[in-house]
Amino acid sequence: MYSILAVVERKPIMPLWQEVVVGAVAFGILCFVLMKYVFPRMEQTFAARIEAIEGGIERAEAARAEAERLLDRYRAELAEARTDAARIRNEARADVERVRQDVLAEARQESDRVMAVGREQLAAERQTIVREVRTEVGALAVDLASRIVGESIADEARRRGTVERFLTELESTGSR
């Protein structure tokens, strides 16, 4: 009955003093364990996270600085490449112009050479034609002279001499 009376005599809002003592001792042990083992571990974890974050920030800044340095180097190399390309382009233009001038000079020389050869051939053909015409004119003159004179000029050496004399007189008359 004691237990029923204890429940009836007891106030429902107020806990028993034994429960308060047990709760206070358990709370004290819990606080001791938390302060001794858990909080230092949490502090270490927080410190490690802070270091990781700060290190990450430092690494990010270092990476950004490296990226900027590489970007500047890339821009410098790009500018140098553009300068080189312009120089090469100008050199190529100059080379093309030089080659063009060389080809034109060679073409002129070849043209002059062909014209000289043509003139030489023309002069040689003229000489040949003049000889042929002289021979023919001489033969015609001798035939004509034979008919006019009425006698045959049969001697070949004589005929040639007469023709040469006649043609020489003709040339000297034509050159005056």
Side-chain angles (χ1 to χ4, degrees):
M1 256 203 34
Y2 176 70
S3 63
I4 292 178
L5 282 177
V7 172
V8 174
E9 290 180 15
R10 202 177 128 227
K11 296 180 184 172
I13 293 186
M14 282 301 272
L16 295 173
W17 66 273
Q18 295 93 356
E19 287 178 352
V20 172
V21 170
V22 170
V25 170
F27 182 73
I29 294 172
L30 179 65
C31 284
F32 176 76
V33 169
L34 286 176
M35 292 178 133
K36 182 74 174 167
Y37 299 107
V38 176
F39 289 155
R41 292 251 184 200
M42 286 177 64
E43 284 296 324
Q44 288 175 349
T45 304
F46 290 144
R49 288 183 98 191
I50 289 172
E51 285 180 29
I53 290 170
E54 288 176 355
I57 291 172
E58 290 173 3
R59 283 191 305 273
E61 286 183 13
R64 185 183 55 78
E66 178 70 15
E68 286 179 7
R69 185 183 65 76
L70 289 174
L71 181 62
D72 290 341
R73 189 171 118 213
Y74 167 74
R75 286 180 179 157
E77 288 176 359
L78 183 62
E80 183 179 334
R82 286 182 178 153
T83 303
D84 288 346
R87 181 183 51 78
I88 289 169
R89 191 173 43 248
N90 291 337
E91 287 175 1
R93 285 181 184 148
D95 288 345
V96 165
E97 184 61 27
R98 250 191 321 275
V99 167
R100 183 177 143 315
Q101 293 299 327
D102 291 346
V103 167
L104 286 174
E106 287 178 17
R108 284 185 194 117
Q109 288 175 351
E110 183 66 19
S111 171
D112 292 344
R113 187 188 66 75
V114 167
M115 288 178 69
V117 167
R119 284 185 189 121
E120 289 173 6
Q121 286 177 348
L122 186 61
E125 286 180 18
R126 183 176 183 268
Q127 290 294 336
T128 304
I129 291 172
V130 165
R131 269 191 308 253
E132 288 174 2
V133 167
R134 271 186 173 194
T135 305
E136 237 180 271
V137 166
L140 288 174
V142 168
D143 284 343
L144 186 61
S146 298
R147 286 184 195 164
I148 290 176
V149 172
E151 73 180 63
S152 170
I153 305 177
D155 187 7
E156 183 67 32
R158 222 164 150 195
R159 183 189 299 184
R160 251 194 212 127
T162 306
V163 169
E164 287 297 320
R165 221 180 21 249
F166 174 72
L167 289 176
T168 306
E169 287 175 9
L170 255 175
E171 284 179 359
S172 64
T173 307
S175 61
R176 284 188 221 160

